[in-house]
Amino acid sequence: MASSMNSLETIQKKIDAVKLFLSVSLSIANAHTVDFYTCDVWDQFMAVPPVEVLTEITLNGDHKRAPEHYLNHGNAKKITFGFCDDSKRLVDVAEFLEAAYAHSLPGLGVCVGRTELLQSLRHTDNAQPLEEVPGAVVESDEFMNSKKSHEVQAMSEVVASLAQRCRVKQVIDVGSGKGYLCSFLSLRYGLQVYGIDSSSVNTHGAQERNRKLKKYSRAYQRHSKANRTPTVVPPSGQEDLEDIAPGEREKEDMVKMSGDAEKEEGKGRRDGEAQTNTTGLTDRNEEDAMTSLTSAILLEDNSLPELDQSDPASAPEEPFLSALCVGMVEPTSPRVPPSELSLEERERRKRENLDRKARSWVNSGGMGSGMLYSPLTSYVTAETELKEIIGELEDAVMVGLHTCGDLAPSTLRMFVAKRELLSVCSVGCCYHLLSEEFDPTRQECPSSSVCGFPLSGYLREQSWFCGRNARMSACLALERVSKGQGIQMESLFYRAVLHVILRDHYSSFKSEKRVGNVYSKATSFVDYVWRALRRLELDESKLSDGVIQGYHDTYRPRMVEMEAFNMLKVTLAPCIEGLILLDRLCYLKEQEDVAFSTLVQLFDPLLSPRCYGVVGVKALGTELS
């Protein structure tokens, strides 16, 4: 295989460049939107009017100055990235925007494209075309929304190529969720996939979904061969399936599934189901949900973790065969670390996994019939012994599609530590849930645990940390905001003005209680404040409608400051995300037995904002001591 495009030394230099920029600008990302008026955030960080910021962002959209420009420490120009060295306030918006682009992953030029990666993986002396299951018919866009279909198709080809390059047939999907990627890999490419998720609701639902998808695929193949296109007609009445011939039964199942999927998609449009940063429904719902998500991020609201993919109970249901998955929308079991499970519970889960695999084998007639996907329930960390979960563990590829928080770095640690894992493809998300080893507050990383950031020895030696608000900013989607799918500014404004009211009229305005999403139910700012006070259980007699409206009228002219400041936060998002991903790439390049590692853009950022994957391949035949 061709050597990695960027050496360890090169990646370290890129990290240094991003660190230098963030050392000046990260304070903007770490500023609290809630405190925007109480702490006079605009005057604290900005020396230019907000209109100038918004105008520059709108007009100066092509910020592509070479990164080396900002690494020139000569006397000709002192590096400020647009900030005044004395006051630490932003004075040159154009230079800041240029520097932000230069220190994002596209500006640094460290990523390869998906096509380039696939060519590199297949560039061997005995390269063969990527093998697919003969006659397999699995059209992902028929069973998933456009976002999920795009992700599954793009990533599955990379994973299958990694498996072929490493000559393995097993894939381990960590944080597999509802099993979309697993099903596609097993049905399209004939890979033996183990999907591991901490939620038993997810694994049971994924198993049933895969069984019915497989049945659909067989029926589709049968009728494709007969060159017949069935008309989707709802049955006039419930028929006894036992009286239907096997071939006709499959045909009816396929027709019913297609019709149900269409009806479910329509229902999704009517209900306006929300999407998180990892899921979506129709384009319109996706825009609305992305706006809400962006607002939650900028508010640094605790409601944001509810959007986490690792919590399937809080994630919205997708239309992927949803009509076939009765009972899937159930409260999820809480995620409990193995150390907190009783011995009886650990044994029960182990027996449950073994029984499920045995039933899958018997019901399918063995692996030869194509039942190659086994959903398993387990909470995994870097220390997890995979052989205790997968009895038939062989050499394998480890993957993670939008594994959230610390699960993404744990996936890379497992890849390095387990000699059975020959390659890895990890796409992370939910950076706000990462634990940081050197965060002075130490709120998210107890001293006894392994933290998710930094991962590389290089950044750990420098004790680097970003801060939770900066990591929340990294979750913002610059490309979507640039296209108008962005910030619900009024909700941010309401919350910041409410904070002024709480400061002025209540002695303790930093309550442990959260305001939550009262904005969506409020009919006006006055109504919003009353609802918030009730949520916080504060004395309502201290205020009147007139007093509340007066606060709104006072701060309404300054709303443009908040809009401009949050656009600067969005501009910084790719730089913070870039540092997190460069740290993970650096970690792989520090390992002696990892022969190839790179960052790859797998997805269209407009469809899937968390579009970058970390790929690593060990030197074949290498074993860890």
Short mmCIF file of all heavy atoms in Angstrom, two decimals, residues 357-378:
data_model
loop_
_atom_site.label_atom_id
_atom_site.label_comp_id
_atom_site.label_asym_id
_atom_site.label_seq_id
_atom_site.Cartn_x
_atom_site.Cartn_y
_atom_site.Cartn_z
N LYS A 357 -27.06 -15.16 18.88
CA LYS A 357 -26.24 -15.63 17.75
C LYS A 357 -26.63 -17.06 17.36
O LYS A 357 -26.67 -17.39 16.18
CB LYS A 357 -24.76 -15.55 18.11
CG LYS A 357 -24.22 -14.14 18.14
CD LYS A 357 -22.72 -14.13 18.33
CE LYS A 357 -22.37 -14.47 19.76
NZ LYS A 357 -20.91 -14.33 20.01
N ALA A 358 -26.91 -17.91 18.37
CA ALA A 358 -27.29 -19.28 18.07
C ALA A 358 -28.61 -19.33 17.31
O ALA A 358 -28.77 -20.08 16.34
CB ALA A 358 -27.39 -20.09 19.36
N ARG A 359 -29.57 -18.51 17.74
CA ARG A 359 -30.86 -18.49 17.04
C ARG A 359 -30.70 -17.98 15.62
O ARG A 359 -31.32 -18.49 14.68
CB ARG A 359 -31.84 -17.59 17.80
CG ARG A 359 -32.34 -18.20 19.10
CD ARG A 359 -33.58 -17.45 19.59
NE ARG A 359 -33.33 -16.04 19.77
CZ ARG A 359 -32.89 -15.50 20.92
NH1 ARG A 359 -32.63 -16.29 21.95
NH2 ARG A 359 -32.71 -14.20 21.02
N SER A 360 -29.86 -16.94 15.44
CA SER A 360 -29.63 -16.41 14.10
C SER A 360 -29.05 -17.48 13.19
O SER A 360 -29.43 -17.63 12.03
CB SER A 360 -28.68 -15.21 14.16
OG SER A 360 -29.27 -14.16 14.89
N TRP A 361 -28.11 -18.26 13.72
CA TRP A 361 -27.47 -19.30 12.93
C TRP A 361 -28.47 -20.37 12.52
O TRP A 361 -28.55 -20.79 11.38
CB TRP A 361 -26.32 -19.91 13.72
CG TRP A 361 -25.56 -20.97 12.97
CD1 TRP A 361 -25.88 -22.28 12.83
CD2 TRP A 361 -24.36 -20.78 12.23
NE1 TRP A 361 -24.96 -22.92 12.06
CE2 TRP A 361 -24.01 -22.03 11.68
CE3 TRP A 361 -23.55 -19.66 12.00
CZ2 TRP A 361 -22.87 -22.20 10.91
CZ3 TRP A 361 -22.42 -19.84 11.23
CH2 TRP A 361 -22.10 -21.08 10.70
N VAL A 362 -29.27 -20.84 13.52
CA VAL A 362 -30.22 -21.91 13.25
C VAL A 362 -31.30 -21.44 12.29
O VAL A 362 -31.65 -22.11 11.32
CB VAL A 362 -30.85 -22.42 14.56
CG1 VAL A 362 -31.97 -23.40 14.27
CG2 VAL A 362 -29.79 -23.08 15.44
N ASN A 363 -31.86 -20.27 12.56
CA ASN A 363 -32.97 -19.79 11.74
C ASN A 363 -32.56 -19.52 10.31
O ASN A 363 -33.36 -19.60 9.39
CB ASN A 363 -33.54 -18.50 12.34
CG ASN A 363 -34.22 -18.75 13.67
OD1 ASN A 363 -34.64 -19.87 13.96
ND2 ASN A 363 -34.33 -17.70 14.48
N SER A 364 -31.29 -19.18 10.11
CA SER A 364 -30.83 -18.84 8.76
C SER A 364 -30.22 -20.03 8.05
O SER A 364 -29.86 -19.93 6.88
CB SER A 364 -29.80 -17.71 8.83
OG SER A 364 -28.65 -18.16 9.51
N GLY A 365 -30.06 -21.13 8.75
CA GLY A 365 -29.42 -22.28 8.12
C GLY A 365 -27.93 -22.13 8.04
O GLY A 365 -27.28 -22.72 7.18
N GLY A 366 -27.34 -21.30 8.92
CA GLY A 366 -25.89 -21.13 8.90
C GLY A 366 -25.49 -19.92 8.10
O GLY A 366 -26.29 -19.27 7.46
N MET A 367 -24.21 -19.60 8.13
CA MET A 367 -23.71 -18.42 7.45
C MET A 367 -23.88 -18.51 5.94
O MET A 367 -23.93 -17.51 5.25
CB MET A 367 -22.22 -18.22 7.79
CG MET A 367 -21.98 -17.70 9.19
SD MET A 367 -22.72 -16.09 9.45
CE MET A 367 -22.23 -15.78 11.14
N GLY A 368 -23.98 -19.69 5.42
CA GLY A 368 -24.08 -19.83 3.98
C GLY A 368 -25.32 -19.23 3.39
O GLY A 368 -25.37 -18.95 2.21
N SER A 369 -26.36 -19.01 4.22
CA SER A 369 -27.61 -18.47 3.68
C SER A 369 -27.64 -16.96 3.68
O SER A 369 -28.60 -16.36 3.25
CB SER A 369 -28.79 -19.00 4.50
OG SER A 369 -28.74 -18.47 5.80
N GLY A 370 -26.61 -16.33 4.20
CA GLY A 370 -26.53 -14.87 4.12
C GLY A 370 -26.89 -14.14 5.39
O GLY A 370 -26.95 -12.93 5.40
N MET A 371 -27.16 -14.87 6.49
CA MET A 371 -27.46 -14.19 7.76
C MET A 371 -26.15 -13.82 8.41
O MET A 371 -25.62 -14.54 9.24
CB MET A 371 -28.27 -15.12 8.66
CG MET A 371 -28.91 -14.40 9.85
SD MET A 371 -30.13 -13.20 9.29
CE MET A 371 -30.82 -12.68 10.86
N LEU A 372 -25.58 -12.68 8.00
CA LEU A 372 -24.22 -12.34 8.38
C LEU A 372 -24.13 -11.18 9.36
O LEU A 372 -23.05 -10.71 9.64
CB LEU A 372 -23.41 -12.00 7.12
CG LEU A 372 -23.35 -13.09 6.05
CD1 LEU A 372 -22.57 -12.58 4.85
CD2 LEU A 372 -22.72 -14.35 6.58
N TYR A 373 -25.27 -10.74 9.87
CA TYR A 373 -25.26 -9.59 10.77
C TYR A 373 -25.76 -10.02 12.14
O TYR A 373 -26.87 -10.53 12.29
CB TYR A 373 -26.12 -8.47 10.20
CG TYR A 373 -26.41 -7.34 11.14
CD1 TYR A 373 -25.47 -6.92 12.09
CD2 TYR A 373 -27.62 -6.66 11.09
CE1 TYR A 373 -25.73 -5.88 12.96
CE2 TYR A 373 -27.89 -5.60 11.95
CZ TYR A 373 -26.94 -5.23 12.88
OH TYR A 373 -27.21 -4.20 13.75
N SER A 374 -24.92 -9.80 13.16
CA SER A 374 -25.28 -10.17 14.53
C SER A 374 -25.26 -8.93 15.42
O SER A 374 -24.18 -8.44 15.76
CB SER A 374 -24.30 -11.22 15.07
OG SER A 374 -24.32 -12.38 14.29
N PRO A 375 -26.42 -8.40 15.81
CA PRO A 375 -26.44 -7.27 16.76
C PRO A 375 -26.16 -7.78 18.17
O PRO A 375 -26.75 -8.77 18.62
CB PRO A 375 -27.88 -6.73 16.64
CG PRO A 375 -28.48 -7.41 15.46
CD PRO A 375 -27.77 -8.71 15.30
N LEU A 376 -25.28 -7.11 18.89
CA LEU A 376 -24.89 -7.51 20.24
C LEU A 376 -25.04 -6.32 21.18
O LEU A 376 -24.80 -5.18 20.80
CB LEU A 376 -23.43 -8.00 20.26
CG LEU A 376 -23.08 -9.11 19.27
CD1 LEU A 376 -21.57 -9.36 19.30
CD2 LEU A 376 -23.83 -10.39 19.62
N THR A 377 -25.43 -6.61 22.41
CA THR A 377 -25.61 -5.56 23.40
C THR A 377 -24.43 -5.56 24.38
O THR A 377 -24.20 -6.54 25.08
CB THR A 377 -26.91 -5.77 24.19
OG1 THR A 377 -28.01 -5.83 23.29
CG2 THR A 377 -27.12 -4.63 25.18
N SER A 378 -23.70 -4.48 24.41
CA SER A 378 -22.58 -4.37 25.33
C SER A 378 -22.11 -2.93 25.38
O SER A 378 -22.16 -2.21 24.39
CB SER A 378 -21.41 -5.27 24.91
OG SER A 378 -20.34 -5.18 25.83
#
